[in-house]
């Protein structure tokens, strides 16, 4: 890790996340780093783990990987903790950030510890259900997180459900520094006319992980009995082999396709008959927002959290009781056979391109960081800059 010998010329912002290898949180933090780097800041993107980035990072954004966690022995974990702590402190003391923004609980804790020691304002963000993270921590781990979250300039959540879940915990209900900023619509290159599939298809997009529920989607698709429309799930992850086995057992190898990750999602969204979000839980699902922005009629489980804040049931999409295979199957079959309904839902879904436009969402992040960036002189310098969207 090559750290400059002196502070950088522009006000520095740190963006810290556990990994850059893929997912909604990674996409959002990279887009923020790219945005602020164009607006009189020097963005420094810090990944706690050494992974290949899944999304494009602008050339001028400085990227640091702190450690390579390949082994799980106790002595290796101690080494990785020591290495992470040392490198974060060194980066902070050398580059002197005016503010640090971190995503996901483990990065939030590292950011809070480092910034408390180096006296840098910091903002943390919970990106998924707190019941899967801070609310489930052991006593000492939870109270460390609570201490650091209370000291943060802000605790940002992407959905009201995430905020409500965090505050329902008796320890975290005293937090008074929560801000809610939803995710912006991803701006893709224009869709092309090149066909991604030679038949009608239903689309799922996301990491092939248990929490994303693609096993439920495959079961629901099988129960529809539809023969004139295929299912394509774009993405990769640790559940691929399990899903391939499930597809084979159901006799759907020619009808359910797992093409892996793709860099032309705009073509899939624009050509799909239906988009389905079968997640067991979420934070604020980027892929659902993306699909709707293309006018793709969408079905989603009413899971924690996000879909119910995005979809008004039977107006701009369809919400299904969380985890109901039959409910999901019925909704897919209903949409697949009703072109008028698909057109109506898709037309209203496009409005999300305005409500979640990047100008609006990035502007909210910019206002938050300007409010908390260190020193009045730097704040004045930032405030005088003109955004370069």
């Amino acid at each position: 890790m090559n750290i400059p010998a002196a502070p950088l010329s522009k006000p520095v912002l740190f963006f810290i996340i556990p990994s850059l290898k893929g997912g909604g949180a990674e996409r959002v933090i990279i887009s923020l780093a790219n945005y602020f780097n164009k607006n009189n800041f020097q963005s420094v993107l810090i990944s706690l783990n050494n992974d290949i980035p899944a999304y494009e990072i602008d050339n001028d954004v400085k990227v640091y990987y702190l450690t390579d966690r390949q082994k799980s022995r106790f002595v290796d974990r101690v080494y990785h903790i020591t290495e992470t702590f040392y490198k974060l402190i060194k980066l902070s003391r050398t580059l002197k950030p005016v503010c640090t923004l971190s995503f996901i609980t483990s990065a939030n804790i590292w950011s809070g510890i480092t910034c408390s020691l180096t006296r840098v304002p910091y903002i943390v963000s919970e990106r998924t259900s707190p019941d899967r993270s801070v609310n489930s921590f052991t006593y000492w781990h939870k109270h460390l997180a609570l201490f650091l979250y209370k000291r943060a300039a802000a605790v940002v959540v992407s959905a009201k459900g995430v905020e409500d879940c965090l505050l329902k915990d008796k320890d975290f209900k005293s937090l008074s520094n929560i801000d809610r900023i939803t995710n912006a619509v991803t701006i893709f290159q224009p869709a092309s006319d090149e066909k991604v599939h030679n038949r009608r298809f239903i689309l799922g997009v996301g990491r092939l992980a248990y929490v994303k529920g693609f096993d439920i989607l495959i079961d629901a698709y099988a129960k529809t009995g539809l023969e004139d429309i295929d299912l394509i799930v774009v993405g990769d992850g640790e559940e691929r082999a399990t899903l391939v086995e499930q597809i084979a057992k159901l006799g759907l190898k020619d009808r359910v396709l797992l093409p892996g990750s793709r860099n032309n999602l705009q073509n899939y969204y624009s050509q799909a008959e239906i988009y389905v979000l079968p997640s067991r839980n979420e934070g604020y699902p980027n892929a659902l927002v993306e699909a709707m922005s293309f006018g793709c009629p969408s079905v989603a489980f009413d899971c924690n959290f996000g879909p119910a804040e995005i979809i008004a049931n039977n107006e701009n999409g369809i919400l299904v009781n969380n985890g109901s295979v039959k409910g999901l199957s019925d909704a897919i079959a209903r949409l697949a056979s009703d072109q008028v309904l698909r057109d109506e839902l898709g037309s209203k879904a496009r409005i999300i391109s305005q409500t979640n436009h990047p100008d609006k969402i990035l502007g909210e992040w910019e206002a938050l960081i300007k409010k908390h960036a260190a020193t009045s002189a730097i704040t004045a310098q930032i405030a005088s800059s003109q955004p370069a969207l």
Side-chain angles (χ1 to χ4, degrees):
M1 185 177 75
N2 296 318
I3 302 176
L8 302 171
S9 58
K10 295 192 294 184
V12 173
L13 286 177
F14 277 9
F15 298 87
I16 305 178
I17 194 166
S19 169
L20 293 172
K21 66 181 179 181
E26 292 80 1
R27 176 177 288 181
V28 172
I29 205 167
I30 287 173
S31 69
L32 286 170
N34 289 340
Y35 169 78
F36 281 101
N37 206 64
K38 294 183 177 79
N39 288 276
N40 284 4
F41 283 104
Q42 173 61 62
S43 292
V44 175
L45 192 53
I46 300 172
S47 174
L48 301 183
N49 297 289
N50 187 8
D51 297 301
I52 298 173
Y55 308 107
E56 185 176 352
I57 301 172
D58 289 352
N59 290 333
D60 292 340
V61 174
K62 296 189 179 299
V63 184
Y64 295 99
Y65 303 94
L66 299 191
T67 190
D68 192 1
R69 288 178 170 83
Q70 297 297 327
K71 299 178 181 178
S72 58
R73 296 180 305 171
F74 176 76
V75 66
D76 295 311
R77 292 199 298 271
V78 171
Y79 174 79
H80 293 321
I81 290 170
T82 304
E83 182 182 31
T84 299
F85 180 72
Y86 169 77
K87 289 181 176 179
L88 274 176
I89 291 290
K90 187 171 183 180
L91 280 167
S92 187
R93 286 179 173 169
T94 302
L95 301 182
K96 302 185 185 306
V98 297
C99 192
T100 290
L101 171 63
S102 59
F103 276 20
I104 303 177
T105 311
S106 60
N108 293 341
I109 291 174
W110 275 115
S111 175
I113 292 171
T114 304
C115 292
S116 294
L117 293 172
T118 55
R119 298 184 179 181
V120 173
Y122 63 97
I123 298 167
V124 301
S125 184
E126 284 290 328
R127 309 305 298 179
T128 187
S129 171
D131 283 343
R132 296 176 57 214
S133 55
V134 290
N135 289 355
S136 63
F137 283 173
T138 60
Y139 178 86
W140 291 111
H141 198 181
K142 177 187 281 190
H143 280 77
L144 172 62
L146 176 61
F147 172 77
L148 296 171
Y149 281 26
K150 282 185 173 180
R151 291 174 61 90
V155 177
V156 178
V157 297
S158 52
K160 186 178 186 301
V162 176
E163 178 181 358
D164 292 343
C165 183
L166 188 61
L167 293 179
K168 79 177 182 182
D169 186 278
K170 62 182 179 62
D171 295 309
F172 287 93
K173 67 181 180 181
S174 60
L175 285 177
S176 59
N177 55 347
I178 297 178
D179 281 273
R180 187 164 73 250
I181 302 178
T182 60
N183 292 345
V185 170
T186 303
I187 302 299
F188 291 96
Q189 294 295 322
S192 73
D193 294 330
E194 182 180 356
K195 290 288 186 183
V196 297
H197 190 58
N198 59 4
R199 280 165 44 95
R200 298 172 66 206
F201 66 93
I202 299 159
L203 179 65
V205 175
R207 191 173 76 258
L208 303 187
Y210 176 79
V211 70
K212 295 300 184 181
F214 291 121
D215 56 318
I216 303 175
L217 173 56
I218 292 167
D219 278 343
Y221 170 75
K223 291 181 183 302
T224 64
L226 295 169
E227 296 184 356
D228 63 339
I229 186 167
D230 296 336
L231 171 62
I232 300 177
V233 178
V234 176
D236 224 328
E238 63 271 19
E239 289 291 308
R240 168 175 281 278
T242 302
L243 296 177
V244 168
E245 182 179 357
Q246 178 187 7
I247 292 166
K249 285 182 178 179
L250 290 170
L252 295 172
K253 287 194 293 185
D254 296 330
R255 306 256 311 281
V256 179
L257 309 177
L258 306 177
S261 298
R262 289 289 183 266
N263 59 10
N264 62 336
L265 276 176
Q266 65 272 28
N267 294 344
Y268 284 87
Y269 287 134
S270 63
Q271 295 174 31
E273 298 280 328
I274 303 165
Y275 169 80
V276 182
L277 180 89
S279 297
R280 290 177 165 90
N281 54 67
E282 279 284 351
Y284 190 90
N286 284 328
L288 176 60
V289 174
E290 291 168 356
M292 292 173 66
S293 74
F294 279 89
C296 186
S298 298
V299 180
F301 275 149
D302 187 9
C303 66
N304 296 335
F305 296 100
E309 298 176 40
I310 297 168
I311 289 179
N313 193 29
N314 290 316
E315 292 184 22
N316 62 348
I318 296 176
L319 286 175
V320 176
N321 289 337
N322 195 20
S324 172
V325 176
K326 184 179 186 304
L328 190 61
S329 178
D330 289 347
I332 291 170
R334 175 188 170 201
L335 263 182
S337 63
D338 192 335
Q339 178 70 57
V340 173
L341 179 60
R342 292 201 304 274
D343 290 344
E344 289 177 353
L345 296 180
S347 176
K348 292 178 181 176
R350 289 182 186 275
I351 295 172
I352 204 164
S353 295
Q354 302 168 25
T355 60
N356 289 49
H357 194 279
D359 288 357
K360 175 180 180 292
I361 305 303
L362 291 171
E364 292 175 8
W365 279 108
E366 185 173 14
L368 183 66
I369 288 178
K370 283 180 180 179
K371 178 181 177 182
H372 297 294
T375 83
S376 58
I378 291 175
T379 304
Q381 178 182 348
I382 298 166
S384 66
S385 66
Q386 293 297 318
L389 288 174

